[in-house]
Amino acid sequence: MLLLIAAPAAFATDVTFFDAKVWADRDEKSLSAEQQLALAQSQAPVVQAAMSSCLVANGPDPFSFVVVVELDSAGKVLRTWRRGDSQVAVCFQSMAAKATLFSPPKSPFYSSFEMNLPASAISH
């Protein structure tokens, strides 16, 4: 009997990138202007540190990726999902997984980082 009760819970944690991104869009849209500012301010140092480190380690190649994070009530990242397979994307996801962002109004809370560096932005 316990196996039958535990089995649905295992499937409930099987969240796809697309599910997480829809939830991130929904959660971010639900924030007040003040909360949106707090989220952006908490994301900025993560983006700055990750991009500095990841670009140095992997070179300034063009990239486009999205990393979605699930936050707990204190803003600690619990899980991540990624769309994009560049080395910069993998590096960014690894660094985002260790981050703590703002304390969200609910838990779990989903947020995303959408990063794009087109080839035209890279000077050779």
Side-chain angles (χ1 to χ4, degrees), residues 32-68:
S32 69
E34 184 178 299
Q35 291 169 325
Q36 288 176 359
L37 180 60
L39 174 60
Q41 288 174 334
S42 71
Q43 287 178 326
V46 175
V47 170
Q48 185 176 21
M51 294 312 294
S52 294
S53 177
C54 296
L55 287 175
V56 167
N58 298 291
D61 292 329
F63 58 80
S64 180
F65 63 88
V66 178
V67 171
V68 177

Side-chain angles (χ1 to χ4, degrees), residues 9 17 22 31 35-36 44 51 54 57 74 84 99 117 120 123:
F17 166 83
V22 167
L31 296 175
Q35 291 169 325
Q36 288 176 359
M51 294 312 294
C54 296
L117 180 65
S120 62
S123 61

Side-chain angles (χ1 to χ4, degrees), residues 12 14 33 39 43 46 56-57 61 69 80 83 85 91 99 103 105 108 114 121:
D14 231 9
L39 174 60
Q43 287 178 326
V46 175
V56 167
D61 292 329
V69 295
T80 63
R83 183 185 72 211
D85 292 326
C91 176
S103 296
E114 298 186 36

Side-chain angles (χ1 to χ4, degrees), residues 17 19-29 31 39-40 43-44 46-47 65-71 77 79-83 92 96 101-102 109-115:
F17 166 83
D19 294 331
K21 180 64 171 110
V22 167
W23 297 339
D25 291 345
R26 175 205 62 203
D27 287 354
E28 289 173 347
K29 192 176 210 174
L31 296 175
L39 174 60
Q43 287 178 326
V46 175
V47 170
F65 63 88
V66 178
V67 171
V68 177
V69 295
E70 176 187 342
L71 306 177
V77 173
R79 294 191 292 174
T80 63
W81 297 263
R82 182 187 75 247
R83 183 185 72 211
F92 189 100
L101 303 178
F102 87 129
F109 184 89
Y110 297 83
S111 183
S112 64
F113 295 88
E114 298 186 36
M115 310 301 296

